[in-house]
Amino acid sequence: MRHSKPVLLVIAHGSRDPRHAATVHALVRRVRSLRPDVRVETGFLDFNIPSVQGVLESLAAEGVREVVALPLLLTRAFHAKADIPAVLRDAPPPLRIRQAEVLGPSPLLLSALERRLYEAGLTPADKSSTGVVLASAGSTDPEAIAVIAEIAREWRHTGWCAVRPAFASASLPRTEDAVRKLRALGCAKVAVAPYVLAPGFLPDRIARGAAEADVLADVLGPAPEVARVLLERYDAARTPELAAVSA
């Protein structure tokens, strides 16, 4: 009997900002190009269509039975722990759904952050004299905040002058405060690396907070490293199924 791969359903938050959905779709196109043998669909929690529930209903009506639902999130905060599981619980009964892990942390995401900094004008030779603000959207979840702080510590050990976390909402410090602290440390240059996937309200706030920085990188968006992380999470989520098939 031939066993087809589960459908990969990428679950994005959604935004009133049209740049958000456009960036999500660009990332999904890159994922498809890397793995043409995997069917990849996109659903949004809010603001955009198709909705997650709508995609699940359509898949069930087609006769699809296996789905890997992948939160397009960088940390395990409220959406990953509550919103998405609640939506998936309401999926049509024929569907068997596995929720994949969020994207971060991952060494590939650090590579994507550096890619964006180099695209914005830095070079590897700048690392030892450049302080970097790792600017996240922010969260009220202590686990998510701790993860961002740990990523900043790990990234510092790759050769940057200093790396400081910052948050656009819910937590402190703000991007502009982290920029000033790196100046005070004596870093020759200060760069802001948005640890966000797509443009929108909070990334725009990060950009405003980077006004006194020397370099502002773009959002992670459809970076090839991000697409590879999506596929890593997909493969990890479907491994138990593959083990059961081969047993």
Side-chain angles (χ1 to χ4, degrees), residues 161-208:
C161 175
V163 180
R164 293 290 179 91
F167 306 94
S169 68
S171 307
L172 296 174
R174 294 287 183 258
T175 301
E176 53 269 34
D177 296 325
V179 168
R180 293 178 187 125
K181 286 181 180 179
L182 289 172
R183 290 277 188 222
L185 281 176
C187 297
K189 291 183 178 179
V190 176
V192 174
Y195 190 59
V196 293
L197 288 165
F201 177 76
L202 293 178
D204 283 349
R205 181 180 288 177
I206 290 172
R208 290 193 297 272

Side-chain angles (χ1 to χ4, degrees), residues 213-225:
D214 300 292
V215 173
L216 170 63
D218 199 357
V219 299
L220 293 172
E225 297 87 352

Side-chain angles (χ1 to χ4, degrees), residues 139-160:
S139 174
T140 57
D141 189 307
E143 177 187 350
I145 297 304
V147 167
I148 298 299
E150 180 59 26
I151 292 170
R153 283 191 291 270
E154 290 182 5
W155 202 17
R156 162 68 181 84
H157 295 313
T158 66
W160 296 101

Side-chain angles (χ1 to χ4, degrees), residues 4 7 39 55-67 92 94-96:
S4 60
V7 171
R39 179 177 175 181
V55 175
L56 292 173
E57 290 173 358
S58 295
L59 291 174
E62 288 180 32
V64 171
R65 292 297 175 262
E66 304 286 344
V67 176
L95 291 177
R96 183 184 180 199

Side-chain angles (χ1 to χ4, degrees), residues 8-14 20 24 27 43-46 52 69-85 88 99-106 109 136-139 141 144 147-148 151 195-198 202 220-221 226 229-230 233:
L8 169 55
L9 172 58
V10 176
I11 300 178
H13 183 274
H20 174 90
V24 170
L27 174 58
F44 295 90
L45 290 173
D46 207 354
V52 176
L70 194 155
L72 197 59
L73 301 168
L74 294 171
T75 58
R76 271 185 50 78
F78 181 79
H79 293 305
K81 294 177 179 179
D83 283 355
I84 291 175
L88 297 180
Q99 182 175 328
E101 290 296 326
V102 298
L103 303 185
S106 167
L109 294 178
S136 168
S139 174
D141 189 307
V147 167
I148 298 299
I151 292 170
Y195 190 59
V196 293
L197 288 165
L202 293 178
L220 293 172
V226 179
V229 176
L230 262 72
R233 299 293 184 256

